[in-house]
Amino acid sequence: MLGATGNTGSAVVDALRRFPDLSVRTATRQPAPPTAHDHRRFDWADRATWGEALDGVDRMYLVAPVGDAEPMAVVAPFLEQAGAAGVRRVVALSSSAVAFGEPGLGQVASAVREVFEEWEVLRPSWFMQNFTGAHPVAESIRATGGFVTATGTGRLPFIDGRDIGRVAAHLLAAREPQCAEHVLTGPEALTYDDAAAIMSEVTGRSVRHRSVEPERFTDFLVASGYDPDFAAVLAALDALVRDGTQSEVTDAVERLTRTPPRSFAAYLRALVAV
Ligand SMILES: NC(=O)c1ccc[n+]([C@@H]2O[C@H](COP(=O)([O-])OP(=O)(O)OC[C@H]3O[C@@H](n4cnc5c(N)ncnc54)[C@H](OP(=O)(O)O)[C@@H]3O)[C@@H](O)[C@H]2O)c1
């Protein structure tokens, strides 16, 4: 389990409790996170940590280095080492916005498909956690009570990371692999205006969304303190949403796990109740 302390990885760890026959090993930079599982320190940037993390593993949840524009420099040798170490099945996290072979996560997905006989590629939509966790949208809501995008009236079927975790656990545990990509979404496609209205209603605090013109958005982000390269990535993603290319709702979560994905309102209600 790579990325086991993150949005999706922690959800995979939780969901694997339903499969008690599998023993779980987590591997992140933290020397010892508070989990009952076997844990090894693993750092993409430190190859000396790779062997111990892979020792005895036959199925792996893969979160490529996050925020790395060229992850293949480390992912390619890692996958080779993983295959040689006996890893048989890889469930890799990608994105609905990235197809096989495209730069970054698309190249990772292609390499996973090439190196392993048993592979699955998860292509989730945008995470509901972006509104509540460590993400520019959530940070802006916490700091200002609102957020800015360049998405216009484009829609997204936001998905709860826990639903991604349930799918990944299912695919890791399944007797037979599907060797397929899985476009994972929540149950409904929302505009960011819709999402802000739902958040306002559930939390009882007004959350505002403002959409600006795409050409102004990168400048806006840079003026807000974001690194220009990261700002350009965020702006490109918003352009995809604005163009309506990311709005399709799929039935993959329910088909694979026999439980429907959570709505945004239900996701927020569960957080508010904690
Ligand atoms: N947010 C979205 O809407 C969205 C939508 C589709 C796809 N995605 C993709 O999802 C991925 C992020 O997944 P996530 O949200 O589950 O992860 P996340 O919450 O960002 O957590 C990252 C995980 O990676 C580990 N990590 C970070 N640096 C590491 C390093 N150098 N070596 C080893 N482990 C390291 C972290 O653990 P430690 O800190 O303990 O090392 C943590 O467990 C990205 O690739 C993103 O493109 C995101």
Side-chain angles (χ1 to χ4, degrees), residues 186-271:
E188 60 194 337
L190 303 171
T191 64
Y192 273 104
D193 279 346
D194 296 334
I198 292 169
M199 205 169 177
S200 301
E201 190 181 329
V202 174
T203 63
R205 286 178 45 205
S206 164
V207 175
R208 298 175 314 278
H209 168 242
R210 182 164 62 94
S211 182
V212 297
E213 291 305 311
E215 45 291 356
R216 284 188 47 215
F217 189 49
T218 311
D219 293 345
F220 167 83
L221 289 171
V222 172
S224 307
Y226 287 99
D227 167 75
D229 289 342
F230 186 48
V233 170
L234 292 175
L237 288 171
D238 274 17
L240 289 178
V241 180
R242 187 184 188 97
D243 293 347
T245 62
Q246 296 298 310
S247 61
E248 190 194 346
V249 175
T250 72
D251 65 355
V253 171
E254 181 158 12
R255 193 168 24 80
L256 291 165
T257 67
R258 297 191 184 164
T259 308
R262 261 212 288 206
S263 68
F264 188 48
Y267 165 77
L268 292 172
R269 272 191 231 111
L271 278 185

Side-chain angles (χ1 to χ4, degrees), residues 1-12 27-31 33 39 41-46 49-50 61-68 93-98 105 122-130 134-135 156 158-159 161 164 192 237:
M1 283 284 321
L2 301 186
T5 50
N7 287 319
T8 62
S10 59
V12 184
T28 72
R29 289 170 304 178
Q30 294 185 31
H39 180 83
R41 193 179 83 77
F42 169 83
D43 191 339
W44 285 108
D46 179 2
T49 64
W50 294 5
Y61 180 65
L62 176 72
V63 179
V66 176
D68 183 342
L93 178 65
S94 181
S95 160
S96 63
V98 184
L105 292 177
L122 306 185
R123 294 186 56 197
S125 180
W126 277 233
F127 301 170
M128 293 179 184
Q129 278 74 7
N130 296 353
H135 186 274
L156 280 171
F158 296 102
I159 182 167
I164 302 168
Y192 273 104
L237 288 171

